[in-house]
Amino acid sequence: MSALDAIDLAIMRTLQDNGRISNAELADRVGLSPSACSRRLDILEKNGTISGYHARLSNKALEYKMMVIVHISLSGQFAKTLTEFETAVKLCPNVLVCYLMSGEYDYILRVAAKDLEDYERIHRDWLSALPHVVKINSSFALREIIDRPNVGL
Amino acid sequence: MSALDAIDLAIMRTLQDNGRISNAELADRVGLSPSACSRRLDILEKNGTISGYHARLSNKALEYKMMVIVHISLSGQFAKTLTEFETAVKLCPNVLVCYLMSGEYDYILRVAAKDLEDYERIHRDWLSALPHVVKINSSFALREIIDRPNVGL
DNA sequence: TTCGTCTTCGCAAGGACATTCCGCAGGTTC
DNA sequence: GAACCTGCGGAATGTCCTTGCGAAGACGAA
């Protein structure tokens, strides 16, 4: 895998903000001919530098108005305990993000819900059912300030 | 804005996972002619249901190997205090997510860094420089379990 | 029922686009 | 200098996107 040069970065930066523009326009923006641009993009996709393209859906339109940050503690840190918890948490479609953490809590989750009633259902049917959990702490987001898909290059 | 029917949801679901396929293939997958599909997609984009398309860049390739969750408390909850903090935090390119929260802390941030040294720089140059902050608590992610762009439909 | 309207479909056409091949230029190695 | 490698632009061809148009179904009012 060769190093990324300035044009590669320009391609990535452009597609990061506007992932569905045509190859012709992409080429124009980064100052390359369409053929050269197509070749470089092909390489970036094949070697995994660009790992995919995703439509961003409006949470408002989908009526997911509520974002909840959930801190979770488990009963132990044994490998089997962690694996079982992680296998279970992956099945919940409302969990957008889950990290194993250092510090006070074992896991931190970002959960999307339509409203309080919906979150009550998620909490009851999914979160409370996760194995080895000894403590769940839900914090509700009052307002979204930033939500970027990637680091600004 | 009319309600979303099953075909609209199929379009959204498809583009959520594969945001750069051609309109012809999209039409094929959702069982519509290309023209009808193009028209529906146009509506979904114009009314904001689909708010954008983003290339997902490999954090590995970009060498962002470290994810940090930062809890922040401010010196007060006055509107002016919050506004000044939010204006400042938006400028830091490493902050991927920022929410105003209920509960113990005022804000929660998700910060991407290349390594510990890089995070030390971000903490020193950006986070510590944010106005009205009285407490910063950084928790490091040990492992990523889930990172979805949207709720599974 | 019957008519008018509204919506959304499929089809067709022409203009734009993606991809591949080819030749060229610049740099490197022997 | 010659052989080689890399990455570019231009041209060709097959595909795709878009727009206009007519038809079919849903729905409400007369």
Side-chain angles (χ1 to χ4, degrees), chain B residues 65-124:
Chain B
K65 299 171 191 157
M66 185 167 267
M67 233 13 121
V68 188
I69 307 296
V70 182
H71 296 79
I72 288 183
S73 294
L74 298 195
S75 58
Q77 288 266 8
F78 305 109
K80 184 162 167 289
T81 305
L82 301 183
T83 305
E84 285 175 6
F85 173 84
E86 291 168 15
T87 304
V89 79
K90 279 181 191 164
L91 298 177
C92 178
N94 294 81
V95 177
L96 300 183
V97 176
C98 174
Y99 279 107
L100 174 64
M101 300 298 295
S102 68
E104 191 179 352
Y105 288 89
D106 292 319
Y107 288 94
I108 191 164
L109 277 60
R110 178 178 172 188
V111 180
K114 289 181 195 276
D115 49 35
L116 198 54
E117 205 173 339
D118 190 36
Y119 184 68
E120 197 273 329
R121 176 191 61 79
I122 294 163
H123 193 282
R124 171 169 35 84

Side-chain angles (χ1 to χ4, degrees), chain A residues 113-129:
Chain A
K114 289 180 195 277
D115 48 37
L116 198 54
E117 205 173 340
D118 191 35
Y119 184 69
E120 198 273 328
R121 177 190 61 79
I122 295 163
H123 192 282
R124 170 170 35 84
D125 294 351
W126 291 98
L127 304 183
S128 298

Side-chain angles (χ1 to χ4, degrees), chain B residues 32-33 35-36 39-40:
Chain B
L32 230 52
S33 74
S35 58
R39 277 185 290 250
R40 292 180 87 119

